[in-house]
Amino acid sequence: MDHAHDTHTHEGHDHGHDVHTHHDEPGFWTKHIFSEDHKVISRQFLITAIFMGVLAMMMSVFFRLQLAWPGQSFPILNYFLGDKWAPGGVMSPDMYLALVTIHGTIMVFFVLTGGLSGTFSNLLIPLQVGARDMASGFLNMLSYWFFFISSVIMFASLFIEDGPASAGWTIYPPLSALPQAIPGSGLGMTLWLVSMSLFVVSSLLGSLNYIVTVINLRTKGMTFTRLPLTVWAFLVTAILGVLSFPVLFSAVLLLIFDRSFGTSFYLSDIFISGQALEQTGGSPILFQHLFWFLGHPEVYIVLLPALGITSEIIATMSRKPIFGYRAMIGSILAIAFLSFIVWGHHMFITGMNPFLGSVFVFTTLLIAIPSAVKAFNYITTLWKGNLIMSPAMLFAIGLVSTFVTGGVTGIILADSALDIPLHDTYFVVAHFHIVMGASAIFGMFAGVYHWFPRMFGRMMSNKLGYVHFWITFIAVYGVFFPMHFIGLSGVPRRYYSNEAFALFDNTHELNVIITGFAVLGAIAQVVFLFNFFFSIYKGKRATQNPWKSNTLEWTAPIEHLHGNWPGSLPEVYRWPYDYSKPGKDEDFVPQNVPLSAGEVENH
Amino acid sequence: MIYIVILIGILAFWQLIKVYEYATIINGSEEETVTESDTRFNAKMMMVFCVAFFVFCIWNFWMYQDSLLPPSASEYGKALDTLFNFNMIIIGFVFFIVNAVLFYFASKYYYRKENKATFFAHSSKLEMIWTIVPAIVLTVIIIYGLKVWNNITAPVNPNETIQMELYAQQFAWTARYGGKDNTLGKSNYRLITDNNPLALVVEDPNNGDDKLVKGEFHIPIGKMVQFKLRSRDVIHSAFMPHFSAQMNCVPGMETEMHFVPIYTTIQMREMTKNPKFNYILLCNKICGAAHYNMQMDIIVESEEDYNKWLATKKTFAETMSATPDEPKVESVKEEMKKYTAITATVEEVKVEEKK
């Protein structure tokens, strides 16, 4: 064991200290694979999410090719999809639907939920609250491994004979319940449901851990009003997850019953492939209620961690306290609360009672207020700051821009009357990709660039980061801004081809432009991947506190040690945003520095 | 198209060179974590991007305003167009101002060693302003929006409307008229046969005079039409973009929508200067492989023409008595074959039209 341990220790681990209370000598397996160390688990989440992200991004490029040049042969499609799904290099309609379905599923759940929360809640919660690890390292490890199995099953579903789930990422029954309706609703959908059930388990194990850790393991002096906004965001996100994911699980469970055991929760009066089904009395709308009861909070599960990360990075890199710290916490809480009572805005045209629709219009538009507060607070933080443009800072600024640009079109869609002609058109696709997709992924990139030195002890290349940011930023707006116009022309989403309608002919040019930008954006991610993996091994060694930040994670030694701090835990004396405080020599004062004589703690 | 591919190729090549170039720099030592020249460069880029982005946005509006849908062809649609423009002006204003301020600050306040950031952590006054101002604007948006919504969804008296049904199935629409009594009779999904594709209850006296049409349906100008929507198999959505009308078709339940068309097809052809213009009904909820080609034409015409057209159609009772009823047995594969044949012909026709 000793020998194995030494050969796999790269960082010059100090064996003399006695922080390890539960392990004396972790072997290779417990150190790198079945690790209970939150820092290792966070890396595992990140790398799994990157793999899934690359997969989902490639899918988007594939279906963008089809949308720009429908019916044209692309050898690359034949290479990846094979003769069955892309005979002669032309994607089949079934495969098109499968790709949009799995692209959505992976991006929303595996990258932006598992990847974002899993990586940064794991890395930052213990380090920023001053804890040795998560409340339960074992459950935390299980959380990753459930995520891993869930990812493997989702990945495996791509290779089965009838193809993966293809009823859209929202898997509305009856389409998702009946293999007669679409081949992907056979084994593919079964695997999707199994995978998502395991994902819910992973998410719950993780979230419960995050909540308990934040509440119980804060170090001395770390009051709730001294918590970094990242931790606030992760805490509230975890609460959202615990309250909403079980509802998805129940929705999935009932669907499994309908599919396999002949129940009729969601099915009623269906006649398909020459047969009248027995099921009667169920309601497909019930599924939508259950799904969106998770689905809408899910938007904020994706977005809040990104906003938390942005708050932290914008303050640090502006060398200025975050503006309106308490208002930021208040708006996180307000958004979280409201997110539970707006789900009906996904269902305005399902035949829902119009009065109920108006209630959802009201609650939905209310969310614009805390969101506006957040955006304006970010901008005020930049005002008269001393902005250091690290790649993380660029992505954080980019996030504020996409959050605003995508947010305002939400005001149109939340208006039930205007939703009638725009529902399920590309206007919706443009809206949520900017406000949720781009913003969240920007938050994730910002986090990776900013905390890379904390995760791997090395720096990523700034220059490559700049190339990555600018091309990605241009590509995001290049793809999704013109998409609004396609939606306003009435083009429905999830159409394999728009050629069946003369009405849509004049949107063809825009589709070509969009695909061009999509390919450009995909290429930019190669720069990121190179930078990321190259820097893990060859990057410049990180200094203790490279961004001159105030939070506790930068006081822990760079070398990974289970327990985070040798000796006693740091004590906290101030809030995390004392940047450029008058009367101080340096432009930052870490949280573990006691107040000097006569100093007032402001916020 | 080829140019774009070439352009992308060049960009990819350029990327690779950059990657190679910077790979050598990665190991090089830098004094600061972020150099001042990098910060300055990126700060300037923020403003460059902002200008380019705004130009791109305005170019998009300029170029593609004509490819958007023509003015709405229903009474409610008109109200929706106005509401949309009202909201667009507000959000357009917010979009330009907020983005401009964001990029301006980002490019102006970049790091300089001699500078120190202003310690400005909190201001109740400012925060009140940007809580209350959005709240007021949103109140206006909500009240105006709900007024329009209530108008659109207010119940209508069936006697003052033309009663119609749109019936969805994979992957076709059938329209059904209430007939002489202007009443749609009952249905039961177990009754589906080749002759009775909408599963109408034969014994129901309201059904006998109903008329079923495929391919295209006609409606008269200036009359309220109430559509009842049903689905045979999965969820579909009846979307008529020109009338700003949409409602889901849900198996096991009946949904409803209604509107008054205000331009005939011929008027619209003149307005859009497109002699081939047709109103369409399409499916806007993912429903299977041929979801993208589930359509029906709509003809809006004078009441006279409409009545003439409808008179040529057989009633349900007539079709039922004409042919003996046989239970419908058809496998999915056959249905799919039929559908592929249909799409193939549609595509051929389109190709010919283009030529």
Side-chain angles (χ1 to χ4, degrees), chain A residues 69 277 327 387 401 420 424 462 470-471 495 499 509 538, chain B residues 1 15 27 33 42 64 99 111 127 189 246 283 285 350:
Chain A
W69 299 288
L277 302 187
L387 278 56
S401 172
I420 299 171
D424 270 338
N462 282 343
W470 285 111
I471 300 181
Y495 265 26
E499 287 194 315
E509 194 180 82
K538 302 276 177 184
Chain B
M1 187 190 86
Q15 279 302 314
N27 275 326
T33 322
N42 282 294
Y64 295 102
N99 268 307
Y111 182 83
E127 282 161 284
Y189 79 109
Q246 182 171 204
C283 177
K285 183 63 79 186
K350 284 191 68 96

PDB file of all heavy atoms in Angstrom, chain A residues 69 277 327 387 401 420 424 462 470-471 495 499 509 538, chain B residues 1 15 27 33 42 64 99 111 127 189 246 283 285 350:
ATOM      1  N   TRP A  69     -28.626  22.792 -44.287  1.00  0.00           N
ATOM      2  CA  TRP A  69     -28.608  22.189 -45.618  1.00  0.00           C
ATOM      3  C   TRP A  69     -29.389  20.880 -45.587  1.00  0.00           C
ATOM      4  O   TRP A  69     -28.812  19.791 -45.684  1.00  0.00           O
ATOM      5  CB  TRP A  69     -27.165  21.947 -46.060  1.00  0.00           C
ATOM      6  CG  TRP A  69     -26.382  23.217 -46.147  1.00  0.00           C
ATOM      7  CD1 TRP A  69     -26.520  24.181 -47.086  1.00  0.00           C
ATOM      8  CD2 TRP A  69     -25.353  23.680 -45.251  1.00  0.00           C
ATOM      9  NE1 TRP A  69     -25.649  25.224 -46.833  1.00  0.00           N
ATOM     10  CE2 TRP A  69     -24.922  24.942 -45.723  1.00  0.00           C
ATOM     11  CE3 TRP A  69     -24.775  23.152 -44.093  1.00  0.00           C
ATOM     12  CZ2 TRP A  69     -23.924  25.675 -45.076  1.00  0.00           C
ATOM     13  CZ3 TRP A  69     -23.784  23.887 -43.454  1.00  0.00           C
ATOM     14  CH2 TRP A  69     -23.380  25.127 -43.950  1.00  0.00           C
ATOM     15  N   LEU A 277     -56.190   1.548 -27.490  1.00  0.00           N
ATOM     16  CA  LEU A 277     -55.553   1.113 -26.239  1.00  0.00           C
ATOM     17  C   LEU A 277     -56.589   1.050 -25.112  1.00  0.00           C
ATOM     18  O   LEU A 277     -57.586   1.759 -25.128  1.00  0.00           O
ATOM     19  CB  LEU A 277     -54.423   2.064 -25.855  1.00  0.00           C
ATOM     20  CG  LEU A 277     -53.294   2.243 -26.866  1.00  0.00           C
ATOM     21  CD1 LEU A 277     -52.178   3.078 -26.256  1.00  0.00           C
ATOM     22  CD2 LEU A 277     -52.742   0.890 -27.309  1.00  0.00           C
ATOM     23  N   ALA A 327     -28.941  42.675  -0.848  1.00  0.00           N
ATOM     24  CA  ALA A 327     -29.949  42.643  -1.916  1.00  0.00           C
ATOM     25  C   ALA A 327     -29.705  41.436  -2.821  1.00  0.00           C
ATOM     26  O   ALA A 327     -30.640  40.830  -3.338  1.00  0.00           O
ATOM     27  CB  ALA A 327     -29.889  43.928  -2.734  1.00  0.00           C
ATOM     28  N   LEU A 387     -10.743  47.012 -12.957  1.00  0.00           N
ATOM     29  CA  LEU A 387     -11.080  45.714 -13.518  1.00  0.00           C
ATOM     30  C   LEU A 387      -9.887  44.957 -14.108  1.00  0.00           C
ATOM     31  O   LEU A 387      -9.252  45.440 -15.046  1.00  0.00           O
ATOM     32  CB  LEU A 387     -12.138  45.880 -14.623  1.00  0.00           C
ATOM     33  CG  LEU A 387     -13.592  46.001 -14.207  1.00  0.00           C
ATOM     34  CD1 LEU A 387     -13.808  47.156 -13.237  1.00  0.00           C
ATOM     35  CD2 LEU A 387     -14.460  46.213 -15.428  1.00  0.00           C
ATOM     36  N   SER A 401     -24.201  40.061 -19.725  1.00  0.00           N
ATOM     37  CA  SER A 401     -24.787  40.470 -20.999  1.00  0.00           C
ATOM     38  C   SER A 401     -25.838  39.463 -21.482  1.00  0.00           C
ATOM     39  O   SER A 401     -26.958  39.840 -21.833  1.00  0.00           O
ATOM     40  CB  SER A 401     -23.687  40.629 -22.049  1.00  0.00           C
ATOM     41  OG  SER A 401     -24.260  40.835 -23.312  1.00  0.00           O
ATOM     42  N   ILE A 420     -49.061  32.714 -27.231  1.00  0.00           N
ATOM     43  CA  ILE A 420     -49.876  31.908 -28.151  1.00  0.00           C
ATOM     44  C   ILE A 420     -49.159  31.738 -29.501  1.00  0.00           C
ATOM     45  O   ILE A 420     -48.930  30.613 -29.926  1.00  0.00           O
ATOM     46  CB  ILE A 420     -51.285  32.508 -28.341  1.00  0.00           C
ATOM     47  CG1 ILE A 420     -52.019  32.551 -27.005  1.00  0.00           C
ATOM     48  CG2 ILE A 420     -52.084  31.699 -29.351  1.00  0.00           C
ATOM     49  CD1 ILE A 420     -53.333  33.321 -27.066  1.00  0.00           C
ATOM     50  N   ASP A 424     -43.344  27.259 -28.528  1.00  0.00           N
ATOM     51  CA  ASP A 424     -42.699  26.184 -29.291  1.00  0.00           C
ATOM     52  C   ASP A 424     -42.123  26.617 -30.637  1.00  0.00           C
ATOM     53  O   ASP A 424     -41.867  25.781 -31.506  1.00  0.00           O
ATOM     54  CB  ASP A 424     -43.657  25.003 -29.509  1.00  0.00           C
ATOM     55  CG  ASP A 424     -43.543  23.985 -28.372  1.00  0.00           C
ATOM     56  OD1 ASP A 424     -42.499  23.969 -27.703  1.00  0.00           O
ATOM     57  OD2 ASP A 424     -44.493  23.216 -28.157  1.00  0.00           O
ATOM     58  N   ASN A 462      -3.821  32.315 -20.021  1.00  0.00           N
ATOM     59  CA  ASN A 462      -4.744  33.436 -20.222  1.00  0.00           C
ATOM     60  C   ASN A 462      -4.996  33.672 -21.698  1.00  0.00           C
ATOM     61  O   ASN A 462      -6.120  33.900 -22.121  1.00  0.00           O
ATOM     62  CB  ASN A 462      -4.157  34.713 -19.629  1.00  0.00           C
ATOM     63  CG  ASN A 462      -4.304  34.734 -18.122  1.00  0.00           C
ATOM     64  OD1 ASN A 462      -5.096  33.977 -17.562  1.00  0.00           O
ATOM     65  ND2 ASN A 462      -3.541  35.580 -17.476  1.00  0.00           N
ATOM     66  N   TRP A 470     -13.560  35.116 -26.616  1.00  0.00           N
ATOM     67  CA  TRP A 470     -14.086  36.008 -27.661  1.00  0.00           C
ATOM     68  C   TRP A 470     -14.794  35.226 -28.759  1.00  0.00           C
ATOM     69  O   TRP A 470     -15.857  35.616 -29.228  1.00  0.00           O
ATOM     70  CB  TRP A 470     -12.987  36.910 -28.222  1.00  0.00           C
ATOM     71  CG  TRP A 470     -12.655  37.997 -27.238  1.00  0.00           C
ATOM     72  CD1 TRP A 470     -11.508  38.153 -26.528  1.00  0.00           C
ATOM     73  CD2 TRP A 470     -13.523  39.061 -26.818  1.00  0.00           C
ATOM     74  NE1 TRP A 470     -11.602  39.243 -25.691  1.00  0.00           N
ATOM     75  CE2 TRP A 470     -12.824  39.823 -25.859  1.00  0.00           C
ATOM     76  CE3 TRP A 470     -14.827  39.446 -27.150  1.00  0.00           C
ATOM     77  CZ2 TRP A 470     -13.380  40.944 -25.231  1.00  0.00           C
ATOM     78  CZ3 TRP A 470     -15.380  40.564 -26.529  1.00  0.00           C
ATOM     79  CH2 TRP A 470     -14.659  41.301 -25.575  1.00  0.00           C
ATOM     80  N   ILE A 471     -14.222  34.105 -29.162  1.00  0.00           N
ATOM     81  CA  ILE A 471     -14.895  33.345 -30.222  1.00  0.00           C
ATOM     82  C   ILE A 471     -16.211  32.776 -29.708  1.00  0.00           C
ATOM     83  O   ILE A 471     -17.231  32.820 -30.389  1.00  0.00           O
ATOM     84  CB  ILE A 471     -13.980  32.220 -30.759  1.00  0.00           C
ATOM     85  CG1 ILE A 471     -12.699  32.835 -31.327  1.00  0.00           C
ATOM     86  CG2 ILE A 471     -14.696  31.444 -31.855  1.00  0.00           C
ATOM     87  CD1 ILE A 471     -11.748  31.828 -31.891  1.00  0.00           C
ATOM     88  N   TYR A 495     -38.396  20.739 -35.882  1.00  0.00           N
ATOM     89  CA  TYR A 495     -38.715  20.361 -37.256  1.00  0.00           C
ATOM     90  C   TYR A 495     -37.437  19.852 -37.905  1.00  0.00           C
ATOM     91  O   TYR A 495     -36.429  20.533 -37.927  1.00  0.00           O
ATOM     92  CB  TYR A 495     -39.251  21.567 -38.038  1.00  0.00           C
ATOM     93  CG  TYR A 495     -40.757  21.664 -38.064  1.00  0.00           C
ATOM     94  CD1 TYR A 495     -41.522  21.095 -37.050  1.00  0.00           C
ATOM     95  CD2 TYR A 495     -41.430  22.315 -39.098  1.00  0.00           C
ATOM     96  CE1 TYR A 495     -42.901  21.183 -37.078  1.00  0.00           C
ATOM     97  CE2 TYR A 495     -42.801  22.401 -39.129  1.00  0.00           C
ATOM     98  CZ  TYR A 495     -43.537  21.834 -38.111  1.00  0.00           C
ATOM     99  OH  TYR A 495     -44.899  21.920 -38.134  1.00  0.00           O
ATOM    100  N   GLU A 499     -38.487  22.582 -45.202  1.00  0.00           N
ATOM    101  CA  GLU A 499     -38.738  22.668 -46.637  1.00  0.00           C
ATOM    102  C   GLU A 499     -40.163  22.313 -47.030  1.00  0.00           C
ATOM    103  O   GLU A 499     -40.576  22.574 -48.143  1.00  0.00           O
ATOM    104  CB  GLU A 499     -37.773  21.743 -47.378  1.00  0.00           C
ATOM    105  CG  GLU A 499     -36.365  22.296 -47.389  1.00  0.00           C
ATOM    106  CD  GLU A 499     -35.508  21.581 -48.385  1.00  0.00           C
ATOM    107  OE1 GLU A 499     -35.584  20.343 -48.419  1.00  0.00           O
ATOM    108  OE2 GLU A 499     -34.782  22.250 -49.125  1.00  0.00           O
ATOM    109  N   GLU A 509     -31.669  31.370 -45.285  1.00  0.00           N
ATOM    110  CA  GLU A 509     -30.392  32.084 -45.217  1.00  0.00           C
ATOM    111  C   GLU A 509     -29.932  32.237 -43.758  1.00  0.00           C
ATOM    112  O   GLU A 509     -28.770  32.006 -43.433  1.00  0.00           O
ATOM    113  CB  GLU A 509     -30.602  33.458 -45.845  1.00  0.00           C
ATOM    114  CG  GLU A 509     -29.347  34.206 -46.158  1.00  0.00           C
ATOM    115  CD  GLU A 509     -29.707  35.556 -46.766  1.00  0.00           C
ATOM    116  OE1 GLU A 509     -30.018  36.498 -46.007  1.00  0.00           O
ATOM    117  OE2 GLU A 509     -29.702  35.652 -47.994  1.00  0.00           O
ATOM    118  N   LYS A 538       0.948  20.678 -17.628  1.00  0.00           N
ATOM    119  CA  LYS A 538       2.077  21.534 -17.980  1.00  0.00           C
ATOM    120  C   LYS A 538       1.876  22.998 -17.633  1.00  0.00           C
ATOM    121  O   LYS A 538       2.711  23.824 -17.964  1.00  0.00           O
ATOM    122  CB  LYS A 538       2.331  21.432 -19.499  1.00  0.00           C
ATOM    123  CG  LYS A 538       2.619  20.031 -19.992  1.00  0.00           C
ATOM    124  CD  LYS A 538       4.083  19.686 -19.810  1.00  0.00           C
ATOM    125  CE  LYS A 538       4.289  18.247 -20.255  1.00  0.00           C
ATOM    126  NZ  LYS A 538       5.655  17.794 -20.032  1.00  0.00           N
TER     127      LYS A 538
ATOM    128  N   MET B   1     -22.638  29.329 -49.675  1.00  0.00           N
ATOM    129  CA  MET B   1     -22.511  28.196 -48.770  1.00  0.00           C
ATOM    130  C   MET B   1     -21.077  27.675 -48.749  1.00  0.00           C
ATOM    131  O   MET B   1     -20.480  27.481 -47.695  1.00  0.00           O
ATOM    132  CB  MET B   1     -23.468  27.102 -49.222  1.00  0.00           C
ATOM    133  CG  MET B   1     -23.546  25.948 -48.267  1.00  0.00           C
ATOM    134  SD  MET B   1     -24.446  24.627 -49.047  1.00  0.00           S
ATOM    135  CE  MET B   1     -23.136  23.825 -49.934  1.00  0.00           C
ATOM    136  N   GLN B  15      -7.005  28.829 -35.967  1.00  0.00           N
ATOM    137  CA  GLN B  15      -7.087  28.368 -34.593  1.00  0.00           C
ATOM    138  C   GLN B  15      -5.940  27.425 -34.238  1.00  0.00           C
ATOM    139  O   GLN B  15      -5.298  27.576 -33.201  1.00  0.00           O
ATOM    140  CB  GLN B  15      -8.402  27.612 -34.366  1.00  0.00           C
ATOM    141  CG  GLN B  15      -9.576  28.499 -34.129  1.00  0.00           C
ATOM    142  CD  GLN B  15      -9.352  29.381 -32.943  1.00  0.00           C
ATOM    143  OE1 GLN B  15      -8.902  28.910 -31.908  1.00  0.00           O
ATOM    144  NE2 GLN B  15      -9.602  30.657 -33.084  1.00  0.00           N
ATOM    145  N   ASN B  27       4.299  27.679 -20.875  1.00  0.00           N
ATOM    146  CA  ASN B  27       5.326  27.430 -19.879  1.00  0.00           C
ATOM    147  C   ASN B  27       6.151  28.672 -19.537  1.00  0.00           C
ATOM    148  O   ASN B  27       6.868  28.696 -18.565  1.00  0.00           O
ATOM    149  CB  ASN B  27       6.250  26.314 -20.334  1.00  0.00           C
ATOM    150  CG  ASN B  27       5.656  24.971 -19.957  1.00  0.00           C
ATOM    151  OD1 ASN B  27       5.009  24.859 -18.931  1.00  0.00           O
ATOM    152  ND2 ASN B  27       5.848  23.981 -20.810  1.00  0.00           N
ATOM    153  N   THR B  33      -0.289  37.726 -12.720  1.00  0.00           N
ATOM    154  CA  THR B  33      -1.244  36.707 -13.145  1.00  0.00           C
ATOM    155  C   THR B  33      -1.914  37.137 -14.442  1.00  0.00           C
ATOM    156  O   THR B  33      -2.086  36.353 -15.357  1.00  0.00           O
ATOM    157  CB  THR B  33      -2.299  36.482 -12.053  1.00  0.00           C
ATOM    158  OG1 THR B  33      -1.646  36.561 -10.785  1.00  0.00           O
ATOM    159  CG2 THR B  33      -2.949  35.146 -12.213  1.00  0.00           C
ATOM    160  N   ASN B  42      -8.279  43.591 -23.667  1.00  0.00           N
ATOM    161  CA  ASN B  42      -9.622  43.019 -23.531  1.00  0.00           C
ATOM    162  C   ASN B  42     -10.657  44.075 -23.180  1.00  0.00           C
ATOM    163  O   ASN B  42     -11.812  43.981 -23.595  1.00  0.00           O
ATOM    164  CB  ASN B  42      -9.621  41.908 -22.484  1.00  0.00           C
ATOM    165  CG  ASN B  42      -9.046  40.630 -23.048  1.00  0.00           C
ATOM    166  OD1 ASN B  42      -9.622  40.023 -23.934  1.00  0.00           O
ATOM    167  ND2 ASN B  42      -7.870  40.249 -22.570  1.00  0.00           N
ATOM    168  N   TYR B  64     -34.351  41.257 -41.885  1.00  0.00           N
ATOM    169  CA  TYR B  64     -35.311  40.166 -41.767  1.00  0.00           C
ATOM    170  C   TYR B  64     -36.695  40.607 -41.327  1.00  0.00           C
ATOM    171  O   TYR B  64     -37.555  39.781 -41.085  1.00  0.00           O
ATOM    172  CB  TYR B  64     -34.745  39.071 -40.860  1.00  0.00           C
ATOM    173  CG  TYR B  64     -33.540  38.459 -41.502  1.00  0.00           C
ATOM    174  CD1 TYR B  64     -32.257  38.787 -41.117  1.00  0.00           C
ATOM    175  CD2 TYR B  64     -33.703  37.608 -42.600  1.00  0.00           C
ATOM    176  CE1 TYR B  64     -31.160  38.263 -41.766  1.00  0.00           C
ATOM    177  CE2 TYR B  64     -32.607  37.087 -43.256  1.00  0.00           C
ATOM    178  CZ  TYR B  64     -31.344  37.420 -42.837  1.00  0.00           C
ATOM    179  OH  TYR B  64     -30.261  36.907 -43.496  1.00  0.00           O
ATOM    180  N   ASN B  99     -26.994  46.766 -21.984  1.00  0.00           N
ATOM    181  CA  ASN B  99     -25.783  46.213 -22.594  1.00  0.00           C
ATOM    182  C   ASN B  99     -24.749  47.297 -22.849  1.00  0.00           C
ATOM    183  O   ASN B  99     -23.559  47.109 -22.613  1.00  0.00           O
ATOM    184  CB  ASN B  99     -26.124  45.485 -23.898  1.00  0.00           C
ATOM    185  CG  ASN B  99     -26.387  44.013 -23.666  1.00  0.00           C
ATOM    186  OD1 ASN B  99     -25.580  43.304 -23.081  1.00  0.00           O
ATOM    187  ND2 ASN B  99     -27.547  43.552 -24.095  1.00  0.00           N
ATOM    188  N   TYR B 111      -7.980  47.894 -15.169  1.00  0.00           N
ATOM    189  CA  TYR B 111      -6.980  47.992 -14.117  1.00  0.00           C
ATOM    190  C   TYR B 111      -5.795  48.886 -14.494  1.00  0.00           C
ATOM    191  O   TYR B 111      -5.206  48.745 -15.564  1.00  0.00           O
ATOM    192  CB  TYR B 111      -6.454  46.600 -13.793  1.00  0.00           C
ATOM    193  CG  TYR B 111      -5.443  46.545 -12.688  1.00  0.00           C
ATOM    194  CD1 TYR B 111      -5.843  46.521 -11.359  1.00  0.00           C
ATOM    195  CD2 TYR B 111      -4.082  46.529 -12.972  1.00  0.00           C
ATOM    196  CE1 TYR B 111      -4.915  46.463 -10.332  1.00  0.00           C
ATOM    197  CE2 TYR B 111      -3.144  46.483 -11.952  1.00  0.00           C
ATOM    198  CZ  TYR B 111      -3.574  46.452 -10.633  1.00  0.00           C
ATOM    199  OH  TYR B 111      -2.648  46.401  -9.633  1.00  0.00           O
ATOM    200  N   GLU B 127     -30.780  50.997  -4.921  1.00  0.00           N
ATOM    201  CA  GLU B 127     -31.454  49.698  -4.971  1.00  0.00           C
ATOM    202  C   GLU B 127     -32.969  49.857  -4.997  1.00  0.00           C
ATOM    203  O   GLU B 127     -33.663  49.091  -5.666  1.00  0.00           O
ATOM    204  CB  GLU B 127     -31.008  48.823  -3.794  1.00  0.00           C
ATOM    205  CG  GLU B 127     -29.638  48.214  -4.063  1.00  0.00           C
ATOM    206  CD  GLU B 127     -28.956  47.728  -2.805  1.00  0.00           C
ATOM    207  OE1 GLU B 127     -28.443  48.573  -2.047  1.00  0.00           O
ATOM    208  OE2 GLU B 127     -28.950  46.524  -2.580  1.00  0.00           O
ATOM    209  N   TYR B 189     -63.455   6.942 -28.948  1.00  0.00           N
ATOM    210  CA  TYR B 189     -62.238   6.546 -29.667  1.00  0.00           C
ATOM    211  C   TYR B 189     -62.226   5.080 -30.086  1.00  0.00           C
ATOM    212  O   TYR B 189     -61.465   4.690 -30.948  1.00  0.00           O
ATOM    213  CB  TYR B 189     -60.996   6.874 -28.836  1.00  0.00           C
ATOM    214  CG  TYR B 189     -60.673   5.896 -27.733  1.00  0.00           C
ATOM    215  CD1 TYR B 189     -59.579   5.047 -27.838  1.00  0.00           C
ATOM    216  CD2 TYR B 189     -61.439   5.829 -26.583  1.00  0.00           C
ATOM    217  CE1 TYR B 189     -59.264   4.152 -26.819  1.00  0.00           C
ATOM    218  CE2 TYR B 189     -61.142   4.947 -25.573  1.00  0.00           C
ATOM    219  CZ  TYR B 189     -60.056   4.112 -25.687  1.00  0.00           C
ATOM    220  OH  TYR B 189     -59.754   3.243 -24.695  1.00  0.00           O
ATOM    221  N   GLN B 246     -53.076  29.335 -31.664  1.00  0.00           N
ATOM    222  CA  GLN B 246     -52.476  28.039 -31.387  1.00  0.00           C
ATOM    223  C   GLN B 246     -53.134  27.394 -30.171  1.00  0.00           C
ATOM    224  O   GLN B 246     -53.456  28.076 -29.200  1.00  0.00           O
ATOM    225  CB  GLN B 246     -50.967  28.181 -31.124  1.00  0.00           C
ATOM    226  CG  GLN B 246     -50.309  26.837 -30.886  1.00  0.00           C
ATOM    227  CD  GLN B 246     -48.795  26.875 -30.821  1.00  0.00           C
ATOM    228  OE1 GLN B 246     -48.174  25.883 -31.062  1.00  0.00           O
ATOM    229  NE2 GLN B 246     -48.204  28.000 -30.509  1.00  0.00           N
ATOM    230  N   CYS B 283     -48.499  21.443 -37.354  1.00  0.00           N
ATOM    231  CA  CYS B 283     -48.382  20.849 -36.024  1.00  0.00           C
ATOM    232  C   CYS B 283     -47.169  21.431 -35.325  1.00  0.00           C
ATOM    233  O   CYS B 283     -46.079  21.482 -35.878  1.00  0.00           O
ATOM    234  CB  CYS B 283     -48.245  19.332 -36.099  1.00  0.00           C
ATOM    235  SG  CYS B 283     -48.024  18.600 -34.460  1.00  0.00           S
ATOM    236  N   LYS B 285     -46.271  20.568 -31.955  1.00  0.00           N
ATOM    237  CA  LYS B 285     -45.813  19.847 -30.762  1.00  0.00           C
ATOM    238  C   LYS B 285     -45.226  18.533 -31.252  1.00  0.00           C
ATOM    239  O   LYS B 285     -45.901  17.793 -31.978  1.00  0.00           O
ATOM    240  CB  LYS B 285     -46.986  19.610 -29.811  1.00  0.00           C
ATOM    241  CG  LYS B 285     -46.604  18.938 -28.503  1.00  0.00           C
ATOM    242  CD  LYS B 285     -45.667  19.740 -27.642  1.00  0.00           C
ATOM    243  CE  LYS B 285     -46.349  20.848 -26.874  1.00  0.00           C
ATOM    244  NZ  LYS B 285     -45.346  21.693 -26.141  1.00  0.00           N
ATOM    245  N   LYS B 350     -42.550  20.420 -54.808  1.00  0.00           N
ATOM    246  CA  LYS B 350     -41.829  21.625 -54.432  1.00  0.00           C
ATOM    247  C   LYS B 350     -40.664  21.896 -55.365  1.00  0.00           C
ATOM    248  O   LYS B 350     -40.420  23.019 -55.771  1.00  0.00           O
ATOM    249  CB  LYS B 350     -41.338  21.504 -52.992  1.00  0.00           C
ATOM    250  CG  LYS B 350     -42.431  21.698 -52.001  1.00  0.00           C
ATOM    251  CD  LYS B 350     -41.882  21.851 -50.599  1.00  0.00           C
ATOM    252  CE  LYS B 350     -41.129  23.142 -50.453  1.00  0.00           C
ATOM    253  NZ  LYS B 350     -41.908  24.215 -49.908  1.00  0.00           N
TER     254      LYS B 350
END
